[in-house]
Amino acid sequence: MPQPKLATFPAIRGALKFYQIASVITGVMLLSLCAEMIVKYGFHYELFLGGSGGFLWFAPVDAFGESTGDGVNLSLGILIAHGWFYVVYLFACFRVWSLMRWGFVRFVTLALGGIVPLLSFFMEARVGREVKAYLAEREASEAAAAALAHPVPESVDGAAPASTTEGTR
């Protein structure tokens, strides 16, 4: 499997940060959506802001699944917000996946984080840990390879020679 180039490491760090933020927002929105669906389909109520019921209130849902409340339907707002944040989350997953050059199955696993409740939190922690460890290990091995390719000459007493830019006294 091809490895990411060293030149893409700053982009990978930025994509990872964006992914971590998007996964937390998407996870919170997914949990809110699950709670909203339990209230709507289990208890037959929807959450409203304003209207005849006051500032924040639950309106009953009729037998056809239609809301009887007036005001701003927060239940619908949660549904729409999660949908849009999931699109942003998919973009964040794609960005990390493509920069890290992982297989397609890994992308599907990342994408499931916005569909399966709580998975985005676990995936965010795992992917963050894996990517940071990979970048640190790869940078250390590249630095060691560069040090072997261009060793610093030592003086007779074992100390590094004085810099030639210091000038003479």
Side-chain angles (χ1 to χ4, degrees):
M1 181 172 296
Q3 293 186 350
K5 296 180 171 91
L6 285 175
T8 63
F9 281 18
I12 291 172
R13 284 189 176 88
L16 178 64
K17 182 58 96 177
F18 181 60
Y19 166 77
Q20 289 175 318
I21 292 168
S23 66
V24 170
I25 292 171
T26 302
V28 169
M29 292 305 297
L30 182 58
L31 290 177
S32 300
L33 179 63
C34 289
E36 183 272 326
M37 291 179 79
I38 290 170
V39 169
K40 182 175 181 178
Y41 297 109
F43 299 103
H44 306 290
Y45 285 99
E46 282 189 324
L47 184 61
F48 279 84
L49 176 68
S52 62
F55 178 69
L56 203 61
W57 60 290
F58 286 101
V61 177
D62 65 14
F64 300 106
E66 298 294 322
S67 178
T68 59
D70 57 350
V72 178
N73 188 340
L74 290 182
S75 296
L76 182 61
I78 290 169
L79 176 71
I80 292 169
H82 170 69
W84 281 107
F85 275 113
Y86 183 67
V87 172
V88 172
Y89 174 75
L90 281 179
F91 175 74
C93 291
F94 177 79
R95 186 96 170 105
V96 170
W97 170 77
S98 64
L99 287 170
M100 288 299 294
R101 299 177 153 201
W102 288 329
F104 186 70
V105 173
R106 185 71 180 258
F107 176 72
V108 172
T109 306
L110 289 171
L112 285 175
I115 298 172
V116 178
L118 299 175
L119 184 60
S120 69
F121 299 112
F122 294 109
M123 291 300 296
E124 180 269 328
R126 181 177 176 189
V127 168
R129 189 173 49 247
E130 286 179 13
V131 169
K132 288 176 184 175
Y134 173 81
L135 295 178
E137 177 185 319
R138 179 91 183 274
E139 287 174 334
S141 67
E142 292 292 329
L148 288 176
H150 303 291
V152 176
E154 293 184 14
S155 65
V156 178
D157 61 355
S163 174
T164 56
T165 60
E166 286 183 40
T168 57
R169 293 186 190 190

